[in-house]
Amino acid sequence: MSGEALSPGIISPVRRIGRREFDFARQVAIMAIVNRTPNSFHDQGSTYELDSAVAAACRAVDDGADWVDIGGFAFSAAQAQIGADEEIDRVAPVIAEVRKATDAVISVDTHRPEVARAAVEAGADVINDTNGLREPGMAEFAAKSGVSVIVTHSLGGPGRRVFRPSYQDVVAEVSGYLRERVAYALEAGIAPDRIIIDPGHDLNKNTFHSLELTRRLEEITAIGYPTLVALSNKDFIGETLDRPQGERREGTIAANVFSIVKGARILRVHDVAATAASVRMTEAMLGWRGPLTPSHNLA
């Protein structure tokens, strides 16, 4: 099967996001995760201090990230939650410093419109909303500001515990939700070429749900908007392989490569260098790029 046959029909595949241009028909963007929280599930607060967060973002770009996602609010209800002012204090200074240092895309991981506004004023190009634009005022602000938005599926949203989440057909229900939220975004005035979707692996989903979403990801990418997958080091990988945090790199890479073949075009990851190598190799095997130093058996 050719690489072209594996590419979903993407609405406005060539997009300028912030200061960079992407062709999502033939390119995968790597998004680095920088959490300015003391309790994130993977980095355990290692980028909580301002200098550490900025350094991590710049290091990620040097390692091959096209994009840096900066967050200050943990999704899990098990973590201590914070007010909007504190969330702004966490993310806005990081965004401002990273903006000075790179032309990479910067997104803010938030569900609050007041935080999104402060982040955009500080230099963010994208709102990564794990609440699916459900907070009043978020879609309207995104439309007015002209930034891109990532619309993510979750049942409860950030900070809201959902006990034993269940679905009749997780893929159909996630797809239906994303289609409804995209229609809402369009109605609010967000341009089609500013919309990205994310099925929300592990967000109010168990391991079986996340595996099914990955297995049938082409049903999500068929919606037509560039699809982001946030699989990095998640519990569904750990439970599938019986691996604790810190030992899920190989499983993450395998899941990401599989997702690219199924149509994903943005990968949200912790380990940028390893991801960059696997993504560039996958793009080459799909016929989207050539080798950098071809010489073997050519002389």
Side-chain angles (χ1 to χ4, degrees):
M1 184 179 290
S2 71
E4 292 301 325
L6 294 170
S7 298
I10 298 174
I11 295 167
S12 301
V14 179
R15 299 188 178 204
R16 186 163 190 85
I17 305 176
R19 304 178 186 183
R20 295 201 177 186
E21 186 171 282
F22 301 91
D23 181 357
F24 289 123
R26 304 179 59 83
Q27 182 181 3
V28 177
I30 299 170
M31 173 196 281
I33 301 166
V34 177
N35 287 318
R36 197 175 180 204
T37 59
N39 49 17
S40 54
F41 84 100
H42 179 73
D43 55 48
Q44 296 296 303
S46 64
T47 53
Y48 182 52
E49 297 300 326
L50 175 59
D51 290 347
S52 297
V54 174
C58 294
R59 185 167 58 250
V61 174
D62 289 342
D63 285 344
D66 308 288
W67 191 319
V68 180
D69 189 48
I70 297 168
F73 186 103
F75 182 89
S76 173
Q79 307 293 348
Q81 303 302 340
I82 60 172
D85 288 344
E86 185 174 352
E87 188 181 353
I88 290 170
D89 288 343
R90 289 182 180 185
V91 299
V94 181
I95 292 168
E97 290 303 311
V98 175
R99 181 78 291 156
K100 294 175 187 176
T102 180
D103 69 348
V105 176
I106 299 174
S107 55
V108 59
D109 179 358
T110 188
H111 64 289
R112 291 166 163 160
E114 59 267 49
V115 178
R117 181 182 301 276
V120 171
E121 290 174 353
D125 309 299
V126 182
I127 300 167
N128 181 11
D129 185 359
T130 53
N131 200 33
L133 304 177
R134 287 181 288 193
E135 192 73 19
M138 180 65 94
E140 291 76 11
F141 169 70
K144 182 178 180 180
S145 64
V147 298
S148 294
V149 297
I150 300 167
V151 181
T152 304
H153 174 274
S154 66
L155 291 175
R160 299 180 182 91
R161 179 78 180 271
V162 176
F163 291 92
R164 294 192 177 186
S166 64
Y167 303 85
Q168 292 296 314
D169 181 331
V170 65
V171 181
E173 290 172 53
V174 169
S175 175
Y177 171 94
L178 290 173
R179 290 178 186 276
E180 184 275 324
R181 298 317 294 167
V182 165
Y184 173 80
L186 294 170
E187 186 176 351
I190 299 174
D193 65 353
R194 292 290 183 264
I195 297 173
I196 296 161
I197 57 174
D198 175 0
H201 287 76
D202 272 16
L203 302 184
N204 310 136
K205 303 170 186 75
N206 64 31
T207 289
F208 298 102
H209 298 145
S210 291
L211 285 171
E212 186 72 5
L213 273 170
T214 311
R215 189 177 300 120
R216 295 166 54 193
L217 190 66
E218 70 275 11
E219 295 176 43
I220 302 299
T221 64
I223 296 170
Y225 296 88
T227 298
L228 177 151
V229 291
L231 314 179
S232 186
N233 294 294
K234 286 201 165 172
D235 285 340
F236 87 95
I237 294 173
E239 290 183 3
T240 299
L241 301 176
D242 191 18
R243 295 285 184 90
Q245 279 293 338
E247 298 181 18
R248 300 174 182 177
R249 176 186 291 183
E250 298 90 346
T252 295
I253 290 173
N256 277 329
V257 169
F258 185 89
S259 295
I260 294 170
V261 173
K262 289 285 189 174
R265 291 297 177 264
I266 305 165
L267 308 180
R268 185 176 184 269
V269 300
H270 298 95
D271 189 341
V272 171
T275 301
S278 64
V279 166
R280 301 291 91 89
M281 191 66 197
T282 303
E283 290 173 334
M285 290 187 291
L286 291 171
W288 298 349
R289 66 164 56 231
L292 295 179
T293 57
S295 63
H296 181 67
N297 281 344
L298 292 179

XYZ file of all heavy atoms in Angstrom, residues 95-96 115-124 141:
87
model
N 5.545 30.723 28.426
C 5.235 31.006 27.026
C 5.993 32.231 26.540
O 6.580 32.233 25.447
C 3.722 31.183 26.840
C 3.007 29.847 27.075
C 3.391 31.743 25.448
C 1.508 29.962 27.208
N 6.024 33.277 27.347
C 6.714 34.511 26.952
C 8.204 34.268 26.717
O 8.783 34.771 25.737
C 6.508 35.585 28.021
N -7.371 31.907 30.935
C -5.988 31.433 30.816
C -5.569 31.445 29.349
O -4.443 31.839 29.017
C -5.843 30.025 31.419
C -4.409 29.511 31.248
C -6.232 30.026 32.899
N -6.474 31.019 28.470
C -6.172 31.041 27.047
C -5.849 32.455 26.578
O -4.905 32.671 25.806
C -7.352 30.471 26.257
N -6.619 33.427 27.039
C -6.376 34.815 26.649
C -4.984 35.284 27.089
O -4.232 35.869 26.296
C -7.448 35.723 27.254
C -7.287 37.199 26.876
C -8.354 38.059 27.550
N -9.696 37.633 27.168
C -10.307 38.030 26.067
N -9.694 38.860 25.231
N -11.526 37.611 25.796
N -4.635 35.001 28.346
C -3.323 35.407 28.851
C -2.209 34.696 28.089
O -1.148 35.287 27.814
C -3.224 35.104 30.349
N -2.431 33.439 27.739
C -1.422 32.669 27.014
C -1.213 33.214 25.610
O -0.073 33.343 25.135
C -1.834 31.204 26.960
N -2.305 33.540 24.925
C -2.196 34.101 23.576
C -1.498 35.461 23.630
O -0.648 35.772 22.787
C -3.584 34.190 22.921
C -3.525 34.985 21.609
C -4.135 32.789 22.664
N -1.818 36.254 24.623
C -1.143 37.552 24.781
C 0.344 37.372 25.031
O 1.164 38.208 24.621
C -1.787 38.332 25.922
C -3.195 38.831 25.597
C -3.890 39.487 26.776
O -3.329 39.442 27.895
O -5.007 40.027 26.588
N 0.723 36.261 25.669
C 2.133 35.993 25.943
C 2.862 35.406 24.743
O 4.096 35.358 24.728
C 2.254 35.044 27.132
N 2.091 34.943 23.722
C 2.735 34.441 22.517
C 2.285 33.074 22.044
O 2.845 32.545 21.073
N 1.288 32.461 22.681
C 0.814 31.144 22.254
C 0.079 31.228 20.920
O -0.615 32.211 20.640
C -0.092 30.533 23.319
N -13.640 33.208 22.203
C -12.319 33.823 22.250
C -11.419 33.266 21.143
O -10.701 34.016 20.481
C -11.637 33.600 23.607
C -10.188 33.999 23.589
C -9.834 35.340 23.509
C -9.189 33.039 23.587
C -8.498 35.723 23.431
C -7.861 33.408 23.522
C -7.514 34.752 23.450
